[in-house]
Amino acid sequence: MSETINELEKLLVELETNFEKNEYEEYEEEYDVELQYSVGGKNTYYTLTKESKTILNRFKNFIKKNKCVSSEEIIGIIDKILEKTIATTEDVENILAKITAIQEDDFEEYVKTEINKEKVLFISHCSKDSFYVEKMIELLQFIGIKDKSQLFCSSKPGYDIPEGEDIYDYLKNLFKEKDIYLVTLLSNNYYNSTACLNEMGAGWLTSCAQTAFLMPGFSFKDIDGAINPRKIMITLTDKARLNDFKDKLINVFGLDSIDQNIWEDQRNKIVEEIEAHYEGIRTLNTVDSLTSIEKRRITPSGNDVDFLLSFRNEGTTEVACIGLDIELKDIYGNSASIFINDSNHSFLGTNLHPDENRFENIKISQDIFDTKGEFNFYKLNKPECKIEALWG
C-alpha cells in the first residue's frame, strides 16, 4: 500500500498548490451573481487551473479503481467542482479532507482492493435482439472472452443463470461479488423491457466499467435512463470503434493480443452479417406495411376448419406469403394455434402481384392445431381469432 499512500500525498500537495484563490466580489462583478458568505466573513472561491482539472480527474479515477469507501460522495464533489470550473472553500475543504482521511485511515478498512475479484463481462440485452446478441458473443469469443467464468449472458445457454438459482438473487450477487464490465445492447426492445432497465440501473449504481452499443435502427436521440447520451457509445457496425473496444477488453481482461489482419477479417465478417440482417428486417417491415391479410370467413367443417382469406399487395413489387400464424379463440376463452409454412398449401410461395387482391380458400385439419384447454372448434369467438402472414 505504500505506493498508494505516496500517490495520495503527492495529490494532496498538488491540489493545495494548484487552486487559485479569488475574492467573491470579483466573481460577483464579472458574472453578475450574488454569492453566499460564511459566518466568519467573506468566503473565497477557487478557479481551476488546467493542472487542477488534470489532478482531480486523476484522483477520481484512483477512487473508482480502488473502490474507496464513500467513493460516490467523493466523486460527486469532484464532478461538482469540474462541472462549475469553480469551487467554494467548502468544496475544496471537503475534497482535501477526504484525501487526508484516506491517507490517515487504516487502508485495510478504507480501500476494498479488486485483486481477488474475478472480472466478468455482463451482456445486458433484450432477448428479442437475439441475433445481435449472438454476433456480440461471437466477437467476444474471438477476442478471447470464452470461459463461463468470464462472460454472463442470460439468454445464452452455457453463459446463463445456473439451474435452480433465483434470477434476482443471482444477479444481485454477481454485481456485488464480481468485477463487472457491463456491455449494454441498446434498442427499442431494450427500453421496453423492465428487466433490461433494472440491469442498466444496477450498472449505474455500482459504477462498473461499461460500454454501450447502439443496435441497428436505434440512434443517439432514442437514449434515455441511466445511460448518459453524452458519453461515448458505439454503433454495432462501427469498425474503427470495434477496434478500440477489442483493445480495451484485451487490456482489462489481460488477454493475448490478436493479429490485426486476422481480427479485421473476423470483425468484417460479423459486421457484414449484422448489416445484412438489418437490411432484411427493413425489407420485411416495408413489405409488411404494404401488404395485408383479412379473414373473411372461418367455418368448422367435419374435422377441418375452412378459412376464406383475402391477401392484398399495395406495393410496386411482387411479394409472396410464405407462412401463416393462426390463433383461434372459443367462447370459453380456450385457444388453438398453428403456424403453417409447408408445401401442402399451394398458395404459400405464390407471388402476389402489385395492387392485387386475391382470395384463397384454405382447409386445415383440427388435429394439427396446438390446443389449450377443452377447445371447441364449433364455438368460435370469431372477433378474437387472429391470423398474421409472413411475407417474403
Side-chain angles (χ1 to χ4, degrees):
M1 289 293 184
S2 58
E3 290 183 9
T4 305
I5 294 173
N6 290 336
E7 182 178 356
L8 283 168
E9 288 176 343
K10 183 179 177 183
L11 280 168
L12 180 58
V13 173
E14 288 178 341
L15 278 173
E16 287 179 317
T17 57
N18 282 292
F19 275 108
E20 297 176 348
K21 284 192 176 183
N22 296 271
E23 293 300 322
Y24 259 137
E25 294 101 322
E26 298 173 11
Y27 187 75
E28 288 177 328
E29 183 178 345
E30 183 177 355
Y31 294 98
D32 191 26
V33 294
E34 183 176 348
L35 300 172
Q36 297 290 325
Y37 296 130
S38 64
V39 176
K42 290 184 178 180
N43 203 342
T44 55
Y45 76 93
Y46 296 78
T47 54
L48 267 65
T49 62
K50 182 178 180 180
E51 291 81 4
S52 293
K53 293 178 184 178
T54 301
I55 295 163
L56 282 175
N57 274 309
R58 195 195 323 160
F59 183 60
K60 176 180 172 181
N61 292 333
F62 174 86
I63 292 292
K64 292 176 76 171
K65 182 181 78 173
N66 288 281
K67 299 290 184 183
C68 295
V69 173
S70 302
S71 60
E72 287 298 320
E73 181 184 356
I74 301 171
I75 291 170
I77 295 171
I78 294 173
D79 285 341
K80 175 185 172 186
I81 295 172
L82 291 172
E83 182 180 355
K84 293 191 304 182
T85 69
I86 65 164
T88 65
T89 301
E90 183 182 6
D91 291 332
V92 175
E93 288 176 350
N94 274 334
I95 191 66
L96 295 180
K98 294 297 180 186
I99 296 172
T100 305
I102 292 174
Q103 293 181 87
E104 294 175 350
D105 210 86
D106 182 1
F107 260 81
E108 292 302 319
E109 295 180 8
Y110 215 87
V111 178
K112 301 173 184 176
T113 66
E114 296 292 292
I115 296 173
N116 296 320
K117 272 193 175 183
E118 287 184 308
K119 287 182 169 57
V120 174
L121 190 144
F122 185 115
I123 302 177
S124 180
H125 68 286
C126 178
S127 57
K128 292 181 179 179
D129 298 321
S130 58
F131 178 85
Y132 301 125
V133 176
E134 287 287 344
K135 296 297 116 179
M136 173 56 69
I137 290 175
E138 284 182 30
L139 197 71
L140 294 172
Q141 289 174 334
F142 189 79
I143 291 170
I145 300 177
K146 305 175 183 179
D147 195 86
K148 181 178 175 64
S149 64
Q150 292 178 306
L151 179 61
F152 176 81
C153 180
S154 60
S155 65
K156 179 67 173 177
Y159 295 117
D160 56 350
I161 295 172
E163 186 70 29
E165 291 275 4
D166 178 85
I167 182 170
Y168 296 107
D169 288 343
Y170 185 84
L171 293 179
K172 182 176 69 175
N173 290 332
L174 193 67
F175 274 91
K176 180 180 179 181
E177 298 171 1
K178 306 294 184 182
D179 184 8
I180 297 295
Y181 189 106
L182 187 66
V183 170
T184 51
L185 305 185
L186 301 178
S187 67
N188 289 317
N189 291 328
Y190 189 97
Y191 276 98
N192 288 327
S193 167
T194 301
C196 290
L197 295 179
N198 287 340
E199 291 172 0
M200 180 193 291
W204 177 74
L205 288 172
T206 56
S207 299
C208 61
Q210 54 186 289
T211 299
F213 284 88
L214 305 180
M215 299 300 96
F218 191 77
S219 64
F220 288 94
K221 65 181 177 60
D222 299 315
I223 296 170
D224 197 3
I227 296 290
N228 185 347
R230 292 174 296 179
K231 293 287 181 72
I232 297 174
M233 276 161 290
I234 306 173
T235 57
L236 200 53
T237 54
D238 187 333
K239 295 178 182 180
R241 299 300 304 284
L242 286 173
N243 289 348
D244 296 338
F245 177 62
K246 178 259 297 180
D247 292 339
K248 185 173 184 179
L249 291 185
I250 287 175
N251 181 54
V252 170
F253 284 84
L255 305 171
D256 293 333
S257 59
I258 306 171
D259 180 272
Q260 190 64 18
N261 291 326
I262 297 174
W263 155 253
E264 288 182 0
D265 285 345
Q266 181 68 14
R267 179 206 62 192
N268 292 346
K269 173 179 174 291
I270 291 174
V271 167
E272 288 167 8
E273 290 172 351
I274 290 170
E275 290 174 337
H277 178 78
Y278 179 62
E279 186 59 35
I281 291 175
R282 289 181 61 189
T283 302
L284 285 175
N285 287 342
T286 301
V287 169
D288 285 345
S289 67
L290 297 172
T291 53
S292 61
I293 181 172
E294 183 180 347
K295 58 181 189 293
R296 293 303 182 93
R297 187 177 66 244
I298 305 176
T299 308
S301 175
N303 197 44
D304 298 320
V305 182
D306 293 335
F307 297 85
L308 177 61
L309 303 177
S310 168
F311 297 85
R312 182 162 185 80
N313 176 17
E314 298 179 10
T316 58
T317 59
E318 292 184 349
V319 295
C321 176
I322 58 175
L324 284 181
D325 192 3
I326 301 173
E327 183 178 16
L328 305 180
K329 295 282 188 179
D330 66 16
I331 60 175
Y332 308 109
N334 302 311
S335 63
S337 60
I338 189 171
F339 180 73
I340 297 172
N341 64 345
D342 57 67
S343 58
N344 293 329
H345 299 87
S346 59
F347 75 94
L348 290 177
T350 304
N351 283 342
L352 196 63
H353 301 292
D355 205 31
E356 180 182 358
N357 187 20
R358 182 188 302 167
F359 290 87
E360 293 280 357
N361 284 294
I362 303 167
K363 188 184 294 290
I364 304 174
S365 171
Q366 296 176 14
D367 295 335
I368 62 175
F369 277 86
D370 180 17
T371 60
K372 293 183 180 179
E374 298 294 327
F375 190 83
N376 191 327
F377 284 93
Y378 284 85
K379 297 287 185 180
L380 292 176
N381 183 354
K382 294 183 180 180
E384 294 297 316
C385 295
K386 298 178 181 178
I387 302 176
E388 295 182 356
L390 178 63
W391 303 92

